[in-house]
Amino acid sequence: MSFNKKSVRDVELKGKRVVMRVDFNVPVKEGKIKDDTRIKAALPTIKYVLDKGASLVLLSHLGRPDGEVKSEFSLKPTAVRLGELLGKEVKFASDCIGDQAVSMAKSLKPGEVLVCENTRFHKAEDMKAKTDEDKKTMNDFAKELAKLGEIFVNDAFGSAHRAHGSTALICKYIPVSVAGFLMEKEIQYLGQAIDNPVRPFIAIIGGAKVSDKLAVLKALIEKCDSLLVGGGMAYTFLKAQGHEVGKSLCELELIDTAKEIMALAKQKKMNFMLPVDNVIADKFDNAAQIKTVENDVPADWMALDIGPKTVAEYVAVVAKAKTIVWNGPMGCFEMPNFAQGTLGICKAVADATQKGAVSVIGGGDSVAAVNQSKLADKMTHISTGGGASLELLEGRKLPGVVALNDK
Ligand code: AMP
């Protein structure tokens, strides 16, 4: 996918006031940031804009405050952290719209930065617009946000699949809207993998449920040479094949859908792989009794990881791949006794990447697993957006990208 949207490189920034949507949705506990990866990921665009002589107003959401001001979802700690990372003062506005925010934005000098409070403290940011009145409320909010600057930069890939005030609607009310570097990079890597992959192209899909990833499974079957399924979702497929799955995660209402997906894979003559053995436990606990079984899971037991035979089969396919997309862990990797499957795949993807394959890791839990394995720097690209990366892989257009100016 060639990226046909303008980026910060394509506009004159000197002396301008830039409003940038970033993804500062970081984990915060008791006012302390637990992981600042997302703030660091936005630094290249932030520094570029400041170096070019613009002033900068940053917008973001944090968590799900449901349209209410809740101090635990304040962006204040991110402003402090950004100040430390930039080595300069970062101002903070206690609301993202209104006279005070606008006057603080307007008084910024070139090179100065203002972080505005959580956009989701306003219902109008992310409400589900059902009526014309709702739509007007959302548009009015976006219009207020647009008063903060003259150029809009969207660098929040993780929120680009949402048509919210600060991610898409603002573009209607501001003269220029362009992409930041992170946004550009995400779309290039994920888009390239899905549209123009060097083959063999394989996808590894895991995680809890089939229902979360139905659309992506169908889209990938159309495009991939092999699809390797793991995690909780595998047991709905195994059940659909007639295996017993005991107390494993299983979406009985999706058995027919699972059958259809497997039939589609057969029709496309692609290699659809399911676990041939599993690590099972007598309870959902790292200290549970554990054993490895092939095929059926006994009643009263639950499968919490793929087994060593499955890992070996999957590793052999990964080793031959030239393009690898991975989304979702192979088991409950958060518990060390059920992390071997995910770590085995992680190592195989890292090895294949070192030998020249392109590997793209989808956001969320797969990223946590790759970080846990300390192999993150061995992958080609680690996406910052879970939902957004899934929607791109499904071939859907992201509203936050569509709204930007074309080249
Ligand atoms: P997702 O957000 O859909 O990618 O799912 C990630 C979550 O799925 C992680 O928290 C895993 O612990 C969980 N998970 C993976 N495999 C299993 C399994 N076999 N049974 C239950 N949960 C699982």
Side-chain angles (χ1 to χ4, degrees), residues 326-328 361-368 382-387 389:
W326 181 11
N327 189 300
I361 318 296
D365 280 316
S366 10
V367 176
I382 299 190
S383 179
T384 53
S389 69

Side-chain angles (χ1 to χ4, degrees), residues 207-209 212-213 231-232 235 249 284 303-304 328-332 334 365:
K209 291 180 176 171
D212 293 337
K213 291 179 188 167
Y235 307 103
L249 213 60
F284 192 81
L304 296 180
M330 298 288 99
C332 297
E334 298 93 335
D365 280 316

Side-chain angles (χ1 to χ4, degrees), residues 6 31-32 35 49 62 78 83 90 94 113-114 120 135 140 143 151 234-235 250 278 280 299 336 347 353 387 402 404:
K6 282 193 177 160
K32 296 249 175 322
D35 180 352
V49 167
L62 193 152
T78 69
V90 169
S94 55
V113 191
L114 170 71
R120 288 195 188 166
K135 283 185 192 146
D140 286 348
K143 223 182 268 180
I151 295 175
Y235 307 103
C250 180
N278 294 288
I280 61 169
K347 194 170 171 313
T353 313
V402 172
L404 302 176

Side-chain angles (χ1 to χ4, degrees), residues 62 64-74 118-123 126:
L62 193 152
R64 291 172 191 255
D66 294 329
E68 283 174 38
V69 178
K70 293 182 184 157
S71 59
E72 68 268 34
F73 296 114
S74 174
N118 197 339
T119 52
R120 288 195 188 166
F121 282 180
H122 293 268
K123 261 197 188 66
D126 61 340

Side-chain angles (χ1 to χ4, degrees), residues 105-179:
K106 285 192 172 160
S107 63
L108 291 175
K109 296 189 190 70
E112 290 189 339
V113 191
L114 170 71
V115 171
C116 292
E117 187 54 287
N118 197 339
T119 52
R120 288 195 188 166
F121 282 180
H122 293 268
K123 261 197 188 66
E125 160 75 338
D126 61 340
M127 64 199 272
K128 292 210 165 48
K130 292 193 190 96
T131 62
D132 285 349
E133 203 178 320
D134 290 346
K135 283 185 192 146
K136 184 175 178 313
T137 307
M138 289 190 82
N139 280 317
D140 286 348
F141 174 69
K143 223 182 268 180
E144 290 302 309
L145 291 175
K147 290 181 184 167
L148 295 167
E150 304 148 299
I151 295 175
F152 176 65
V153 178
N154 195 345
D155 213 19
F157 174 73
S159 303
H161 58 313
R162 309 277 185 218
H164 293 165
S166 70
T167 63
L169 300 180
I170 185 174
C171 300
K172 292 201 248 179
Y173 306 105
I174 203 157
V176 178
S177 300
V178 298

